[in-house]
Amino acid sequence: MFTPDTIRKIEESPLLEGLKQITELFPEGVVFSTSLSQEDQVITDVIFRNELPVKVFTLDTGRLFYEHYELLANNNSKYKIKTEVYFPNSDDVEKYVNDKGINAFYHSLENRKECCYIRKVKPLNRALEGAKVWITGLRAEQSENREHMPMLAYDEQRNLYKFNPLINWSYNDVLNYIDENKVQELPLHRHGYISIGCKPCTRPIEPGENPRAGRWWWEESQKECGLHSK
């Protein structure tokens, strides 16, 4: 579906035009996963304000900050379009908690990854069923693991295209868009929480720290949960 010329045209286009081209090529089956981050709020704003035919969804892990729920409600009210919410399987969560403990993710990398798999990866896989293009808010400067991610590529594992329209944006580009377009955001971002995940696994970062340093801060790892490991 994507020729080299088409890919180049999309990669060189402004955000709105790139998204429009994707939806024109795939009138159905384009989805966007939002974690309600600043990057994702930018993309949400563009999709909803321009009424693009994109399914927007989020994952409720059951361990989010209260502010996530408040922002989700505010998004639904502002744009008059509801973001779909996917939850983890209750049996999976019950077994994990009863077998290992409510905060077992602090005890080992294996436990943490299992928790992420139950609460994030499995619900994501359900949300992506039947999708042809998965839009994300990833940026290259967020972590070393994301530095060389392409803007558009085929994800063989999930059998769909993955489109990262903000991959070359700087953090200042994101903040400028938010300020200029009066985009709602999590108030936590202005208090040192740059990359925000589940509440027990997120702390504010110090000046000069990598944006992902506040995620799973007790670990020496690639700071990924399995959603975007490739």
Side-chain angles (χ1 to χ4, degrees), residues 84-101:
E84 294 188 37
V85 183
Y86 285 79
F87 298 87
N89 180 280
S90 60
D91 290 339
D92 290 343
V93 175
E94 287 176 5
K95 186 177 188 310
Y96 178 88
V97 170
N98 289 325
D99 288 353
K100 299 191 174 183

Side-chain angles (χ1 to χ4, degrees), residues 97-133:
V97 170
N98 289 325
D99 288 353
K100 299 191 174 183
I102 191 69
N103 292 327
F105 41 80
Y106 289 133
H107 302 155
S108 72
L109 180 59
E110 180 184 59
N111 283 354
R112 196 273 290 171
K113 287 187 175 182
E114 182 180 356
C115 187
C116 287
Y117 181 75
I118 290 170
R119 295 180 184 272
K120 294 183 178 183
V121 178
K122 289 186 70 175
L124 174 72
N125 290 342
R126 293 202 330 266
L128 293 178
E129 288 178 3
K132 297 178 180 177
V133 180

Side-chain angles (χ1 to χ4, degrees), residues 32 37-44 137-139 142 166 171 174 178 189 194:
F32 168 52
S37 67
Q38 289 166 306
E39 291 83 2
D40 291 346
Q41 282 295 98
V42 168
I43 296 175
T44 296
L138 299 181
R139 292 188 301 107
Q142 287 173 327
L166 303 186
Y171 187 49
V174 173
I178 287 173
H189 289 304
I194 304 305

Side-chain angles (χ1 to χ4, degrees), residues 172-183 185 190:
N172 282 336
D173 291 334
V174 173
L175 295 181
N176 288 339
Y177 183 96
I178 287 173
D179 291 339
E180 291 170 6
N181 294 278
K182 297 181 173 56
V183 175
E185 63 176 329
R190 304 294 174 154

Side-chain angles (χ1 to χ4, degrees), residues 181-213:
N181 294 278
K182 297 181 173 56
V183 175
Q184 304 175 122
E185 63 176 329
L186 293 167
L188 296 166
H189 289 304
R190 304 294 174 154
H191 297 283
Y193 290 87
I194 304 305
S195 177
I196 305 176
C198 292
K199 186 173 182 178
C201 301
T202 307
R203 68 158 173 78
I205 64 171
E206 300 294 333
E209 278 192 303
N210 184 282
R212 300 283 288 180

Side-chain angles (χ1 to χ4, degrees), residues 204-221:
I205 64 171
E206 300 294 333
E209 278 192 303
N210 184 282
R212 300 283 288 180
R215 303 289 294 278
W216 312 293
W217 69 92
W218 64 92
E219 289 182 5
E220 292 294 332
S221 68

